[in-house]
Amino acid sequence: MADIEGSPGSSMHGVTGREPAFAFSVASPAVPTDTTAKFALPVDSEHKAKVFKIFSLANPHMRTFHLSWISFFTCFVSTFAAAPLVPIIRDNLNLTKADIGNAGVASVSGSIFSRLVMGAVCDLLGPRYGCAFLIMLSAPTVFCMSFIAGPSGYIAVRFMIGFSLATFVSCQFWMSTMFNSKIIGLANGTAAGWGNMGGGATQLLMPLVYDIIRRCGATPFTAWRIAFFVPGWMHVIMGILVLTLGQDLPDGNLGALQKKGNVAKDKFSKVLWYAITNYRTWIFVLLYGYSMGVELSTDNVVAEYFYDRFNLKLHTAGIIAATFGMANLVARPFGGYASDMAARYFGMRGRLWVLWILQTMGGAFCIWLGRANSLPIAVLAMILFSVGAQAACGATFGIIPFISRRSLGIISGLTGAGGNFGSGLTQLIFFSTTKFSTAQGLSWMGVMIVACTLPVTLVHFPQWGGMFFPPSKDVVKSTEEYYYASEWNEEEKQKGLHEGSLRFAENSRSERGRRIASAPTPPNTTPAHV
């Protein structure tokens, strides 16, 4: 197909790029390589990398990977920097349990709105501008943490810092534009997982910075304020790096490509419409609310939970709490990798089953954590819960890129916002009142995870099927080309605006899997000239 000049998938670059195999790399098999494209890594017809080399800085694919996860990591550090210092901050600002709970809700509520906006920004302006401007604009709010004087200021500033978590959307959108569908689960899972590690790293970093400042002679109530200058400067530095070194798409920045006519400008109304009218979007908003959402909730309460329930020292509780977030180093990439592996054998149906299994197991271990009566059992349950929830996050974004080609940014934003909404709702119900102890709140949260994962059984793709039902028997409607081209009307197709969707459809045929028969592709579905 890619050999036909002018066909979706062909490249006019005329420069051969060949890449030797390296260790610590994962390649996508059975996807045609565009051998005429000038890139450091082998690419497909959309110039998305077919290889994921974790220790490489190859431009643009792997450089984008490292910029996206480090920027997201920075925002996680600043958003949850207050959590391990709460025992000190609450004495300084006279915070009640309700104040601490409301601040936790506020810290994840801010990015509900910002993630929705970021999705549109990625679709229309590109992820580079979205990520860089947000991370730099949120830097002053991190510095403001050092100057708050009471509970209302504490809640307000944590709310504003939370806006920065929308860098998650640019992170996932960026990975989906840079890596082939066969390895997208691993790429998305690793970028987001390593970014989420900031929630664990801050449990170690902030107490350490606080201790160093204390030893330099500062009082406890001054030391925690000075400590916030560290995440503030991290924001400034990463914003500059993303803006100067980042690139929207494999072939260049979105604005430049639109001026050249290589990429068509899309309408916000159309992009939004195809996102909100796809029922799969809303199912994944709910699912992510009880995978990523519960992770955010746990980040806010787990240090205090171990500190109060088992009478631990602040530093010890921080180390235990850090293991919850640090599990993202392997757990979320594992979820994405498991999704990719299941897809190789069972197609999209395998991805859906992997997601349901991982998230349900996470919920079961969360129930166990709340009922644990000894420290070793509680730590074990927490680690297993973190692995299940975080791996489910990775598996979720192994599926998101396939819901829509045209509205990927908006759907990523809605799903990310669902995670924050679920977190805010969970904290409001279980961790902001005296009705439930923290232990009881964790157990009931686990029950909600199990229940809210069940709707994944309703997801069905006509070209690939669902968990329990096979693909459509309609020869035309059961094709990838029909599914993705249906997001464009006839007038847009006449202008060739759907070419990118056809190339994506061609590369996504791998979602049929090996062991489950899917509908055959009718001849001439992808025309030579569109």
Side-chain angles (χ1 to χ4, degrees):
M1 186 67 234
D3 294 332
I4 304 173
E5 185 178 343
S7 69
S10 64
S11 171
M12 309 301 179
H13 283 256
V15 181
T16 300
R18 291 183 172 86
E19 180 72 4
F22 290 101
F24 304 106
S25 69
V26 178
S28 60
V31 177
T33 300
D34 185 345
T35 57
T36 63
K38 184 184 175 183
F39 292 102
L41 302 180
V43 296
D44 65 13
S45 59
E46 295 179 278
H47 296 163
K48 294 180 180 181
K50 293 176 57 187
V51 180
F52 185 70
K53 296 178 177 173
I54 213 159
F55 297 123
S56 168
L57 290 173
N59 189 34
H61 304 94
M62 295 313 300
R63 181 191 290 181
T64 296
F65 164 75
H66 290 294
L67 286 172
S68 63
W69 82 258
I70 296 173
S71 59
F72 185 37
F73 176 94
T74 298
C75 295
F76 243 91
V77 168
S78 58
T79 299
F80 294 100
L85 300 179
V86 158
I88 311 299
I89 298 173
R90 69 185 176 190
D91 293 339
N92 187 190
L93 303 179
N94 298 315
L95 303 177
T96 64
K97 182 179 179 180
D99 291 330
I100 295 169
N102 289 335
V105 174
S107 69
V108 296
S109 299
S111 62
I112 293 176
F113 172 73
S114 64
R115 286 186 170 190
L116 292 173
V117 173
M118 181 63 89
V121 168
C122 287
D123 276 327
L124 302 175
L125 299 178
R128 181 177 66 104
Y129 278 150
C131 180
F133 289 157
L134 178 60
I135 199 170
M136 286 196 284
L137 287 172
S138 55
T141 65
V142 183
F143 289 123
C144 281
M145 196 73 179
S146 303
F147 305 103
I148 56 178
S152 57
Y154 175 71
I155 294 170
V157 172
R158 288 207 67 189
F159 173 76
M160 289 188 289
I161 295 173
F163 273 69
S164 66
L165 287 183
T167 48
F168 164 78
V169 178
S170 61
C171 170
Q172 298 294 271
F173 182 93
W174 232 343
M175 293 302 94
S176 298
T177 62
M178 289 288 176
F179 294 94
N180 175 261
S181 58
K182 292 283 282 185
I183 54 172
I184 191 57
L186 178 64
N188 267 341
T190 306
W194 286 13
N196 283 2
M197 265 200 316
T202 198
Q203 305 276 357
L204 295 173
L205 175 66
M206 294 307 288
L208 179 63
V209 172
Y210 167 81
D211 282 340
I212 291 172
I213 297 170
R214 283 275 288 118
R215 289 175 185 176
C216 291
T219 64
F221 290 172
T222 303
W224 75 261
R225 295 174 184 274
I226 297 173
F228 273 88
F229 277 80
V230 173
W233 277 109
M234 288 171 66
H235 271 246
V236 175
I237 293 167
M238 279 311 302
I240 294 171
L241 289 176
V242 168
L243 199 57
T244 55
L245 299 177
Q247 183 173 307
D248 290 319
L249 299 166
D251 294 314
N253 288 316
L254 185 62
L257 292 172
Q258 287 176 337
K259 286 179 181 177
K260 291 178 182 177
N262 294 347
V263 175
K265 286 187 178 181
D266 213 336
K267 293 182 179 179
F268 173 71
S269 58
K270 293 286 184 73
V271 174
L272 179 65
W273 173 254
Y274 286 110
I276 62 176
T277 55
N278 192 321
Y279 79 92
R280 301 167 192 84
T281 301
W282 301 107
I283 290 178
F284 280 95
V285 167
L286 174 65
L287 287 169
Y288 203 62
Y290 283 91
S291 56
M292 184 63 195
V294 296
E295 183 186 342
L296 295 175
S297 298
T298 309
D299 277 332
N300 269 324
V301 303
V302 71
E304 189 183 10
Y305 168 69
F306 279 101
Y307 178 82
D308 292 334
R309 184 176 173 99
F310 299 105
N311 299 313
L312 302 177
K313 293 180 181 178
L314 178 63
H315 187 61
T316 308
I319 291 173
I320 293 173
T323 60
F324 180 84
M326 295 299 284
N328 271 296
L329 177 66
V330 293
R332 188 158 182 158
F334 165 74
Y337 181 70
S339 180
D340 288 341
M341 289 303 294
R344 287 187 191 180
Y345 292 94
F346 306 107
M348 178 56 69
R349 303 176 77 178
R351 290 190 189 272
L352 295 169
W353 273 102
V354 164
L355 173 57
W356 178 78
I357 292 168
L358 290 172
Q359 194 156 323
T360 301
M361 286 176 61
F365 289 127
C366 183
I367 296 171
W368 188 28
L369 171 61
R371 300 178 67 86
N373 292 317
S374 67
L375 182 60
I377 294 296
V379 171
L380 175 63
M382 181 198 70
I383 292 172
L384 292 173
F385 161 45
S386 70
V387 170
Q390 292 160 9
C393 292
T396 298
F397 273 83
I399 300 171
I400 292 295
F402 298 101
I403 294 176
S404 168
R405 167 65 167 74
R406 188 175 188 178
S407 305
L408 174 61
I410 297 281
I411 292 175
S412 297
L414 284 167
T415 306
N420 288 75
F421 181 79
S423 175
L425 181 65
T426 303
Q427 287 184 74
L428 209 56
I429 297 172
F430 299 125
F431 303 114
S432 297
T433 67
T434 54
K435 185 176 181 181
F436 299 102
S437 67
T438 306
Q440 290 173 324
L442 286 168
S443 289
W444 281 110
M445 184 169 73
V447 172
M448 284 193 73
I449 295 169
V450 174
C452 292
T453 305
L454 291 174
V456 74
T457 58
L458 303 176
V459 175
H460 184 273
F461 291 89
Q463 69 275 39
W464 301 315
M467 284 178 66
F468 298 108
F469 298 101
S472 168
K473 292 182 180 180
D474 188 310
V475 178
V476 176
K477 292 184 178 180
S478 63
T479 65
E480 290 81 0
E481 285 80 2
Y482 180 87
Y483 180 82
Y484 292 110
S486 65
E487 296 180 319
W488 304 88
N489 60 36
E490 287 304 319
E491 182 182 347
E492 291 168 329
K493 289 179 182 178
Q494 289 297 321
K495 296 177 182 178
L497 300 181
H498 69 315
E499 286 185 21
S501 293
L502 291 180
R503 285 196 294 271
F504 181 78
E506 187 177 26
N507 288 318
S508 68
R509 288 177 192 161
S510 56
E511 292 306 303
R512 299 177 181 185
R514 293 179 186 171
R515 299 185 180 175
I516 295 181
S518 186
T521 302
N524 304 319
T525 306
T526 307
H529 296 274
V530 208

